[in-house]
Amino acid sequence: MVKKLDQPPKYWDRLFAPSSCLAMITTVDAQGRPNAASYGTCTRVHHEPVYISFTTTMGKDTANNVLATGEFTVNLPRWERSILEKVRICGLAFAPGVNELEKAGLTALPGKVVKPPRIAECPRHFECKVEWTKEFANGRLMVCGPVVAASVDEDSVDKDGYVLWDRVMSAHYTGAPYSNGFVAAFQTMWVDRPYDGPEGAAYDLHEKQMLKEI
């Protein structure tokens, strides 16, 4: 098994990239029993401090658990068939108390700060505390909270904490209308901005200040 590296807070923002990813989110219930569920919509919504948000359905185990315990862990899988097959298993509606990690043949690693486990087969992990939730009229629940610990496979980042794209191999879910489809999200292109106006300079300054690079 690849060694996991604990990442300092200054690297958390660059570790969650791209800003929205396919995720397996782990929680525990009030009895401490683990649950894992797959989500196509999991997004970094704030840079510093780093906040992550996702939506789930009221009454589902994930919703019940985050409301009861106030913790969740975001695990980002690779775009590899073997792990994506396990993502699909974790997306099934098992009965409360059933351990989806065992059903999918995944390995639980203890969290560094929170009780929900990390998933060893995923290269990146973000442990979070729930700060707020918002229930929508259709029974959908948005969950948002700050990252309190992050870890990564040692072969998946460089010395400055930037992801190695060919190692993390981020993935997106195509969405329910496409059933069992996934999209690779790790092909990169660095694009210059062909504009010299003052707005460009203001944007660059704001970005540096936001990321604490000056």
Side-chain angles (χ1 to χ4, degrees), residues 135-203:
E135 183 179 355
F136 296 96
N138 63 356
R140 198 71 177 164
L141 182 74
M142 177 169 280
V143 181
C144 185
V147 175
V148 295
S151 51
V152 60
D153 285 1
E154 66 174 347
D155 63 356
S156 295
V157 289
D158 67 15
K159 63 181 180 62
D160 296 313
Y162 288 96
V163 298
L164 302 176
W165 294 101
D166 61 339
R167 295 298 304 159
V168 298
M169 298 177 67
S170 306
H172 287 310
Y173 177 48
T174 56
Y178 296 90
S179 185
N180 61 339
F182 296 89
V183 175
F186 55 92
Q187 184 175 3
T188 57
M189 178 186 297
W190 313 117
V191 182
D192 292 332
R193 183 179 58 226
Y195 180 75
D196 296 324
E199 298 85 357
Y203 178 88

Side-chain angles (χ1 to χ4, degrees), residues 78-86:
R78 289 187 173 95
W79 192 72
E80 292 178 341
R81 181 173 296 275
S82 60
I83 187 65
L84 294 177
E85 289 172 347
K86 298 176 189 297

Side-chain angles (χ1 to χ4, degrees), residues 7-86:
Q7 295 296 84
K10 67 179 181 178
Y11 291 167
W12 293 352
D13 187 44
R14 64 191 65 169
L15 185 61
F16 197 102
S19 57
S20 184
C21 299
L22 172 70
M24 285 189 282
I25 294 177
T26 49
T27 56
V28 297
D29 64 16
Q31 290 74 48
R33 298 176 297 184
N35 176 270
S38 302
Y39 290 92
T41 304
C42 187
T43 304
R44 184 195 64 232
V45 293
H46 195 267
H47 291 284
E48 178 58 41
V50 177
Y51 276 67
I52 295 175
S53 181
F54 69 99
T55 59
T56 185
T57 301
M58 289 296 296
K60 295 288 188 178
D61 290 342
T62 299
N64 292 339
N65 292 350
V66 296
L67 292 173
T69 67
E71 297 181 340
F72 63 96
T73 294
V74 176
N75 304 274
L76 303 182
R78 289 187 173 95
W79 192 72
E80 292 178 341
R81 181 173 296 275
S82 60
I83 187 65
L84 294 177
E85 289 172 347
K86 298 176 189 297

Side-chain angles (χ1 to χ4, degrees), residues 78-150:
R78 289 187 173 95
W79 192 72
E80 292 178 341
R81 181 173 296 275
S82 60
I83 187 65
L84 294 177
E85 289 172 347
K86 298 176 189 297
V87 167
R88 296 206 66 209
I89 294 173
C90 288
L92 298 175
F94 291 100
V98 172
N99 187 333
E100 288 83 0
L101 298 178
E102 293 180 351
K103 291 289 186 180
L106 293 165
T107 308
L109 291 176
K112 306 296 289 189
V113 175
V114 302
K115 292 182 179 178
R118 296 171 292 168
I119 299 175
E121 289 79 5
C122 293
R124 293 178 287 171
H125 319 275
F126 301 84
E127 302 177 36
C128 303
K129 296 276 191 178
V130 177
E131 184 163 304
W132 58 262
T133 61
K134 168 68 175 179
E135 183 179 355
F136 296 96
N138 63 356
R140 198 71 177 164
L141 182 74
M142 177 169 280
V143 181
C144 185
V147 175
V148 295

